mmCIF file with all atom_site columns, all heavy atoms in Angstrom:
data_model
loop_
_atom_site.group_PDB
_atom_site.id
_atom_site.type_symbol
_atom_site.label_atom_id
_atom_site.label_alt_id
_atom_site.label_comp_id
_atom_site.label_asym_id
_atom_site.label_entity_id
_atom_site.label_seq_id
_atom_site.pdbx_PDB_ins_code
_atom_site.Cartn_x
_atom_site.Cartn_y
_atom_site.Cartn_z
_atom_site.occupancy
_atom_site.B_iso_or_equiv
_atom_site.pdbx_formal_charge
_atom_site.auth_seq_id
_atom_site.auth_comp_id
_atom_site.auth_asym_id
_atom_site.auth_atom_id
_atom_site.pdbx_PDB_model_num
ATOM 1   N N   . GLN P 1 612 ? 75.397 103.612 77.029 1.00 93.00 ? 612 GLN P N   1
ATOM 2   C CA  . GLN P 1 612 ? 76.706 102.957 77.138 1.00 93.00 ? 612 GLN P CA  1
ATOM 3   C C   . GLN P 1 612 ? 76.804 101.750 76.245 1.00 93.00 ? 612 GLN P C   1
ATOM 4   O O   . GLN P 1 612 ? 77.797 101.552 75.519 1.00 93.00 ? 612 GLN P O   1
ATOM 5   C CB  . GLN P 1 612 ? 76.960 102.542 78.591 1.00 93.00 ? 612 GLN P CB  1
ATOM 6   C CG  . GLN P 1 612 ? 77.313 103.711 79.475 1.00 93.00 ? 612 GLN P CG  1
ATOM 7   C CD  . GLN P 1 612 ? 77.236 103.383 80.959 1.00 93.00 ? 612 GLN P CD  1
ATOM 8   O OE1 . GLN P 1 612 ? 76.666 102.372 81.351 1.00 93.00 ? 612 GLN P OE1 1
ATOM 9   N NE2 . GLN P 1 612 ? 77.813 104.249 81.777 1.00 93.00 ? 612 GLN P NE2 1
ATOM 10  N N   . LEU P 1 613 ? 75.746 100.939 76.288 1.00 90.00 ? 613 LEU P N   1
ATOM 11  C CA  . LEU P 1 613 ? 75.773 99.698  75.498 1.00 90.00 ? 613 LEU P CA  1
ATOM 12  C C   . LEU P 1 613 ? 75.878 100.009 74.011 1.00 90.00 ? 613 LEU P C   1
ATOM 13  O O   . LEU P 1 613 ? 76.658 99.402  73.290 1.00 90.00 ? 613 LEU P O   1
ATOM 14  C CB  . LEU P 1 613 ? 74.512 98.902  75.805 1.00 90.00 ? 613 LEU P CB  1
ATOM 15  C CG  . LEU P 1 613 ? 74.608 97.421  75.587 1.00 90.00 ? 613 LEU P CG  1
ATOM 16  C CD1 . LEU P 1 613 ? 75.740 96.847  76.440 1.00 90.00 ? 613 LEU P CD1 1
ATOM 17  C CD2 . LEU P 1 613 ? 73.294 96.742  75.984 1.00 90.00 ? 613 LEU P CD2 1
ATOM 18  N N   . LEU P 1 614 ? 75.104 100.970 73.552 1.00 91.00 ? 614 LEU P N   1
ATOM 19  C CA  . LEU P 1 614 ? 75.111 101.313 72.118 1.00 91.00 ? 614 LEU P CA  1
ATOM 20  C C   . LEU P 1 614 ? 76.500 101.781 71.714 1.00 91.00 ? 614 LEU P C   1
ATOM 21  O O   . LEU P 1 614 ? 77.050 101.351 70.706 1.00 91.00 ? 614 LEU P O   1
ATOM 22  C CB  . LEU P 1 614 ? 74.085 102.381 71.815 1.00 91.00 ? 614 LEU P CB  1
ATOM 23  C CG  . LEU P 1 614 ? 72.617 101.958 71.886 1.00 91.00 ? 614 LEU P CG  1
ATOM 24  C CD1 . LEU P 1 614 ? 71.708 103.094 71.460 1.00 91.00 ? 614 LEU P CD1 1
ATOM 25  C CD2 . LEU P 1 614 ? 72.367 100.750 71.000 1.00 91.00 ? 614 LEU P CD2 1
ATOM 26  N N   . VAL P 1 615 ? 77.062 102.703 72.491 1.00 91.00 ? 615 VAL P N   1
ATOM 27  C CA  . VAL P 1 615 ? 78.371 103.235 72.121 1.00 91.00 ? 615 VAL P CA  1
ATOM 28  C C   . VAL P 1 615 ? 79.440 102.153 72.161 1.00 91.00 ? 615 VAL P C   1
ATOM 29  O O   . VAL P 1 615 ? 80.292 102.050 71.282 1.00 91.00 ? 615 VAL P O   1
ATOM 30  C CB  . VAL P 1 615 ? 78.747 104.422 73.029 1.00 91.00 ? 615 VAL P CB  1
ATOM 31  C CG1 . VAL P 1 615 ? 80.167 104.892 72.760 1.00 91.00 ? 615 VAL P CG1 1
ATOM 32  C CG2 . VAL P 1 615 ? 77.773 105.578 72.829 1.00 91.00 ? 615 VAL P CG2 1
ATOM 33  N N   . GLN P 1 616 ? 79.382 101.309 73.203 1.00 89.00 ? 616 GLN P N   1
ATOM 34  C CA  . GLN P 1 616 ? 80.390 100.261 73.332 1.00 89.00 ? 616 GLN P CA  1
ATOM 35  C C   . GLN P 1 616 ? 80.279 99.234  72.198 1.00 89.00 ? 616 GLN P C   1
ATOM 36  O O   . GLN P 1 616 ? 81.275 98.853  71.620 1.00 89.00 ? 616 GLN P O   1
ATOM 37  C CB  . GLN P 1 616 ? 80.254 99.533  74.686 1.00 89.00 ? 616 GLN P CB  1
ATOM 38  C CG  . GLN P 1 616 ? 80.549 100.429 75.898 1.00 89.00 ? 616 GLN P CG  1
ATOM 39  C CD  . GLN P 1 616 ? 82.029 100.677 76.104 1.00 89.00 ? 616 GLN P CD  1
ATOM 40  O OE1 . GLN P 1 616 ? 82.872 100.026 75.510 1.00 89.00 ? 616 GLN P OE1 1
ATOM 41  N NE2 . GLN P 1 616 ? 82.346 101.662 76.931 1.00 89.00 ? 616 GLN P NE2 1
ATOM 42  N N   . VAL P 1 617 ? 79.067 98.814  71.938 1.00 86.00 ? 617 VAL P N   1
ATOM 43  C CA  . VAL P 1 617 ? 78.888 97.822  70.878 1.00 86.00 ? 617 VAL P CA  1
ATOM 44  C C   . VAL P 1 617 ? 79.277 98.426  69.528 1.00 86.00 ? 617 VAL P C   1
ATOM 45  O O   . VAL P 1 617 ? 79.977 97.808  68.732 1.00 86.00 ? 617 VAL P O   1
ATOM 46  C CB  . VAL P 1 617 ? 77.438 97.276  70.834 1.00 86.00 ? 617 VAL P CB  1
ATOM 47  C CG1 . VAL P 1 617 ? 77.269 96.299  69.695 1.00 86.00 ? 617 VAL P CG1 1
ATOM 48  C CG2 . VAL P 1 617 ? 77.098 96.601  72.151 1.00 86.00 ? 617 VAL P CG2 1
ATOM 49  N N   . ALA P 1 618 ? 78.830 99.661  69.299 1.00 86.00 ? 618 ALA P N   1
ATOM 50  C CA  . ALA P 1 618 ? 79.188 100.324 68.047 1.00 86.00 ? 618 ALA P CA  1
ATOM 51  C C   . ALA P 1 618 ? 80.702 100.424 67.908 1.00 86.00 ? 618 ALA P C   1
ATOM 52  O O   . ALA P 1 618 ? 81.240 100.341 66.801 1.00 86.00 ? 618 ALA P O   1
ATOM 53  C CB  . ALA P 1 618 ? 78.556 101.715 67.997 1.00 86.00 ? 618 ALA P CB  1
ATOM 54  N N   . GLY P 1 619 ? 81.387 100.574 69.013 1.00 84.00 ? 619 GLY P N   1
ATOM 55  C CA  . GLY P 1 619 ? 82.841 100.710 69.003 1.00 84.00 ? 619 GLY P CA  1
ATOM 56  C C   . GLY P 1 619 ? 83.568 99.490  68.473 1.00 84.00 ? 619 GLY P C   1
ATOM 57  O O   . GLY P 1 619 ? 84.759 99.515  68.204 1.00 84.00 ? 619 GLY P O   1
ATOM 58  N N   . ARG P 1 620 ? 82.846 98.378  68.329 1.00 83.00 ? 620 ARG P N   1
ATOM 59  C CA  . ARG P 1 620 ? 83.471 97.161  67.784 1.00 83.00 ? 620 ARG P CA  1
ATOM 60  C C   . ARG P 1 620 ? 83.607 97.271  66.272 1.00 83.00 ? 620 ARG P C   1
ATOM 61  O O   . ARG P 1 620 ? 84.275 96.450  65.651 1.00 83.00 ? 620 ARG P O   1
ATOM 62  C CB  . ARG P 1 620 ? 82.656 95.911  68.112 1.00 83.00 ? 620 ARG P CB  1
ATOM 63  C CG  . ARG P 1 620 ? 82.349 95.659  69.553 1.00 83.00 ? 620 ARG P CG  1
ATOM 64  C CD  . ARG P 1 620 ? 83.577 95.514  70.391 1.00 83.00 ? 620 ARG P CD  1
ATOM 65  N NE  . ARG P 1 620 ? 83.521 96.455  71.514 1.00 83.00 ? 620 ARG P NE  1
ATOM 66  C CZ  . ARG P 1 620 ? 84.482 97.282  71.856 1.00 83.00 ? 620 ARG P CZ  1
ATOM 67  N NH1 . ARG P 1 620 ? 85.592 97.295  71.177 1.00 83.00 ? 620 ARG P NH1 1
ATOM 68  N NH2 . ARG P 1 620 ? 84.333 98.115  72.857 1.00 83.00 ? 620 ARG P NH2 1
ATOM 69  N N   . ALA P 1 621 ? 82.933 98.219  65.671 1.00 82.00 ? 621 ALA P N   1
ATOM 70  C CA  . ALA P 1 621 ? 82.941 98.303  64.187 1.00 82.00 ? 621 ALA P CA  1
ATOM 71  C C   . ALA P 1 621 ? 84.042 99.225  63.695 1.00 82.00 ? 621 ALA P C   1
ATOM 72  O O   . ALA P 1 621 ? 84.384 100.218 64.324 1.00 82.00 ? 621 ALA P O   1
ATOM 73  C CB  . ALA P 1 621 ? 81.593 98.811  63.680 1.00 82.00 ? 621 ALA P CB  1
ATOM 74  N N   . GLY P 1 622 ? 84.579 98.891  62.533 1.00 77.00 ? 622 GLY P N   1
ATOM 75  C CA  . GLY P 1 622 ? 85.509 99.778  61.869 1.00 77.00 ? 622 GLY P CA  1
ATOM 76  C C   . GLY P 1 622 ? 86.804 99.991  62.618 1.00 77.00 ? 622 GLY P C   1
ATOM 77  O O   . GLY P 1 622 ? 87.282 101.105 62.749 1.00 77.00 ? 622 GLY P O   1
ATOM 78  N N   . ARG P 1 623 ? 87.389 98.900  63.115 1.00 74.00 ? 623 ARG P N   1
ATOM 79  C CA  . ARG P 1 623 ? 88.643 99.060  63.842 1.00 74.00 ? 623 ARG P CA  1
ATOM 80  C C   . ARG P 1 623 ? 89.824 98.724  62.951 1.00 74.00 ? 623 ARG P C   1
ATOM 81  O O   . ARG P 1 623 ? 90.953 98.690  63.385 1.00 74.00 ? 623 ARG P O   1
ATOM 82  C CB  . ARG P 1 623 ? 88.629 98.210  65.084 1.00 74.00 ? 623 ARG P CB  1
ATOM 83  C CG  . ARG P 1 623 ? 87.689 98.800  66.120 1.00 74.00 ? 623 ARG P CG  1
ATOM 84  C CD  . ARG P 1 623 ? 88.081 98.315  67.463 1.00 74.00 ? 623 ARG P CD  1
ATOM 85  N NE  . ARG P 1 623 ? 87.746 99.256  68.493 1.00 74.00 ? 623 ARG P NE  1
ATOM 86  C CZ  . ARG P 1 623 ? 88.402 99.355  69.618 1.00 74.00 ? 623 ARG P CZ  1
ATOM 87  N NH1 . ARG P 1 623 ? 89.460 98.590  69.827 1.00 74.00 ? 623 ARG P NH1 1
ATOM 88  N NH2 . ARG P 1 623 ? 88.041 100.197 70.549 1.00 74.00 ? 623 ARG P NH2 1
ATOM 89  N N   . GLY P 1 624 ? 89.522 98.462  61.713 1.00 72.00 ? 624 GLY P N   1
ATOM 90  C CA  . GLY P 1 624 ? 90.614 98.211  60.768 1.00 72.00 ? 624 GLY P CA  1
ATOM 91  C C   . GLY P 1 624 ? 90.727 99.386  59.817 1.00 72.00 ? 624 GLY P C   1
ATOM 92  O O   . GLY P 1 624 ? 90.421 100.514 60.181 1.00 72.00 ? 624 GLY P O   1
ATOM 93  N N   . ASP P 1 625 ? 91.106 99.094  58.585 1.00 74.00 ? 625 ASP P N   1
ATOM 94  C CA  . ASP P 1 625 ? 91.286 100.166 57.626 1.00 74.00 ? 625 ASP P CA  1
ATOM 95  C C   . ASP P 1 625 ? 89.970 100.609 56.986 1.00 74.00 ? 625 ASP P C   1
ATOM 96  O O   . ASP P 1 625 ? 89.849 101.704 56.483 1.00 74.00 ? 625 ASP P O   1
ATOM 97  C CB  . ASP P 1 625 ? 92.267 99.708  56.516 1.00 74.00 ? 625 ASP P CB  1
ATOM 98  C CG  . ASP P 1 625 ? 93.602 99.352  57.118 1.00 74.00 ? 625 ASP P CG  1
ATOM 99  O OD1 . ASP P 1 625 ? 93.925 99.941  58.163 1.00 74.00 ? 625 ASP P OD1 1
ATOM 100 O OD2 . ASP P 1 625 ? 94.298 98.474  56.574 1.00 74.00 ? 625 ASP P OD2 1
ATOM 101 N N   . VAL P 1 626 ? 88.989 99.683  56.980 1.00 78.00 ? 626 VAL P N   1
ATOM 102 C CA  . VAL P 1 626 ? 87.725 100.007 56.338 1.00 78.00 ? 626 VAL P CA  1
ATOM 103 C C   . VAL P 1 626 ? 86.805 100.689 57.340 1.00 78.00 ? 626 VAL P C   1
ATOM 104 O O   . VAL P 1 626 ? 86.740 100.296 58.495 1.00 78.00 ? 626 VAL P O   1
ATOM 105 C CB  . VAL P 1 626 ? 87.046 98.717  55.820 1.00 78.00 ? 626 VAL P CB  1
ATOM 106 C CG1 . VAL P 1 626 ? 85.867 99.064  54.929 1.00 78.00 ? 626 VAL P CG1 1
ATOM 107 C CG2 . VAL P 1 626 ? 88.039 97.823  55.113 1.00 78.00 ? 626 VAL P CG2 1
ATOM 108 N N   . GLU P 1 627 ? 86.115 101.699 56.887 1.00 81.00 ? 627 GLU P N   1
ATOM 109 C CA  . GLU P 1 627 ? 85.232 102.432 57.771 1.00 81.00 ? 627 GLU P CA  1
ATOM 110 C C   . GLU P 1 627 ? 84.091 101.514 58.245 1.00 81.00 ? 627 GLU P C   1
ATOM 111 O O   . GLU P 1 627 ? 83.581 100.697 57.491 1.00 81.00 ? 627 GLU P O   1
ATOM 112 C CB  . GLU P 1 627 ? 84.658 103.609 57.013 1.00 81.00 ? 627 GLU P CB  1
ATOM 113 C CG  . GLU P 1 627 ? 84.187 104.717 57.917 1.00 81.00 ? 627 GLU P CG  1
ATOM 114 C CD  . GLU P 1 627 ? 83.767 105.919 57.075 1.00 81.00 ? 627 GLU P CD  1
ATOM 115 O OE1 . GLU P 1 627 ? 84.586 106.358 56.250 1.00 81.00 ? 627 GLU P OE1 1
ATOM 116 O OE2 . GLU P 1 627 ? 82.646 106.373 57.269 1.00 81.00 ? 627 GLU P OE2 1
ATOM 117 N N   . GLY P 1 628 ? 83.687 101.699 59.482 1.00 86.00 ? 628 GLY P N   1
ATOM 118 C CA  . GLY P 1 628 ? 82.666 100.825 60.024 1.00 86.00 ? 628 GLY P CA  1
ATOM 119 C C   . GLY P 1 628 ? 81.277 101.420 59.952 1.00 86.00 ? 628 GLY P C   1
ATOM 120 O O   . GLY P 1 628 ? 81.111 102.629 59.824 1.00 86.00 ? 628 GLY P O   1
ATOM 121 N N   . GLU P 1 629 ? 80.288 100.543 60.030 1.00 91.00 ? 629 GLU P N   1
ATOM 122 C CA  . GLU P 1 629 ? 78.903 100.969 59.954 1.00 91.00 ? 629 GLU P CA  1
ATOM 123 C C   . GLU P 1 629 ? 78.127 100.264 61.070 1.00 91.00 ? 629 GLU P C   1
ATOM 124 O O   . GLU P 1 629 ? 78.361 99.089  61.340 1.00 91.00 ? 629 GLU P O   1
ATOM 125 C CB  . GLU P 1 629 ? 78.358 100.580 58.591 1.00 91.00 ? 629 GLU P CB  1
ATOM 126 C CG  . GLU P 1 629 ? 76.897 100.875 58.378 1.00 91.00 ? 629 GLU P CG  1
ATOM 127 C CD  . GLU P 1 629 ? 76.390 100.282 57.069 1.00 91.00 ? 629 GLU P CD  1
ATOM 128 O OE1 . GLU P 1 629 ? 76.997 99.324  56.554 1.00 91.00 ? 629 GLU P OE1 1
ATOM 129 O OE2 . GLU P 1 629 ? 75.383 100.767 56.580 1.00 91.00 ? 629 GLU P OE2 1
ATOM 130 N N   . VAL P 1 630 ? 77.202 100.984 61.685 1.00 93.00 ? 630 VAL P N   1
ATOM 131 C CA  . VAL P 1 630 ? 76.406 100.397 62.741 1.00 93.00 ? 630 VAL P CA  1
ATOM 132 C C   . VAL P 1 630 ? 74.933 100.624 62.414 1.00 93.00 ? 630 VAL P C   1
ATOM 133 O O   . VAL P 1 630 ? 74.550 101.727 62.045 1.00 93.00 ? 630 VAL P O   1
ATOM 134 C CB  . VAL P 1 630 ? 76.708 101.063 64.101 1.00 93.00 ? 630 VAL P CB  1
ATOM 135 C CG1 . VAL P 1 630 ? 75.925 100.397 65.211 1.00 93.00 ? 630 VAL P CG1 1
ATOM 136 C CG2 . VAL P 1 630 ? 78.204 101.015 64.395 1.00 93.00 ? 630 VAL P CG2 1
ATOM 137 N N   . ILE P 1 631 ? 74.150 99.557  62.485 1.00 95.00 ? 631 ILE P N   1
ATOM 138 C CA  . ILE P 1 631 ? 72.713 99.720  62.239 1.00 95.00 ? 631 ILE P CA  1
ATOM 139 C C   . ILE P 1 631 ? 71.970 99.379  63.517 1.00 95.00 ? 631 ILE P C   1
ATOM 140 O O   . ILE P 1 631 ? 72.155 98.294  64.098 1.00 95.00 ? 631 ILE P O   1
ATOM 141 C CB  . ILE P 1 631 ? 72.254 98.844  61.052 1.00 95.00 ? 631 ILE P CB  1
ATOM 142 C CG1 . ILE P 1 631 ? 72.929 99.388  59.797 1.00 95.00 ? 631 ILE P CG1 1
ATOM 143 C CG2 . ILE P 1 631 ? 70.728 98.854  60.947 1.00 95.00 ? 631 ILE P CG2 1
ATOM 144 C CD1 . ILE P 1 631 ? 72.508 98.723  58.525 1.00 95.00 ? 631 ILE P CD1 1
ATOM 145 N N   . VAL P 1 632 ? 71.200 100.325 63.977 1.00 94.00 ? 632 VAL P N   1
ATOM 146 C CA  . VAL P 1 632 ? 70.504 100.201 65.239 1.00 94.00 ? 632 VAL P CA  1
ATOM 147 C C   . VAL P 1 632 ? 69.008 100.078 64.982 1.00 94.00 ? 632 VAL P C   1
ATOM 148 O O   . VAL P 1 632 ? 68.420 100.973 64.396 1.00 94.00 ? 632 VAL P O   1
ATOM 149 C CB  . VAL P 1 632 ? 70.772 101.437 66.119 1.00 94.00 ? 632 VAL P CB  1
ATOM 150 C CG1 . VAL P 1 632 ? 70.004 101.342 67.435 1.00 94.00 ? 632 VAL P CG1 1
ATOM 151 C CG2 . VAL P 1 632 ? 72.258 101.609 66.367 1.00 94.00 ? 632 VAL P CG2 1
ATOM 152 N N   . GLN P 1 633 ? 68.405 98.977  65.384 1.00 95.00 ? 633 GLN P N   1
ATOM 153 C CA  . GLN P 1 633 ? 66.955 98.811  65.220 1.00 95.00 ? 633 GLN P CA  1
ATOM 154 C C   . GLN P 1 633 ? 66.284 99.208  66.512 1.00 95.00 ? 633 GLN P C   1
ATOM 155 O O   . GLN P 1 633 ? 66.653 98.741  67.578 1.00 95.00 ? 633 GLN P O   1
ATOM 156 C CB  . GLN P 1 633 ? 66.651 97.362  64.867 1.00 95.00 ? 633 GLN P CB  1
ATOM 157 C CG  . GLN P 1 633 ? 67.377 96.903  63.632 1.00 95.00 ? 633 GLN P CG  1
ATOM 158 C CD  . GLN P 1 633 ? 66.901 95.523  63.144 1.00 95.00 ? 633 GLN P CD  1
ATOM 159 O OE1 . GLN P 1 633 ? 66.881 95.286  61.953 1.00 95.00 ? 633 GLN P OE1 1
ATOM 160 N NE2 . GLN P 1 633 ? 66.497 94.632  64.038 1.00 95.00 ? 633 GLN P NE2 1
#
Side-chain angles (χ1 to χ4, degrees):
Q612 285 166 345
L613 205 58
L614 290 184
V615 173
Q616 295 284 346
V617 177
R620 305 301 125 230
R623 288 203 150 208
D625 300 331
V626 191
E627 203 174 307
E629 176 188 24
V630 183
I631 294 185
V632 178
Q633 303 189 147

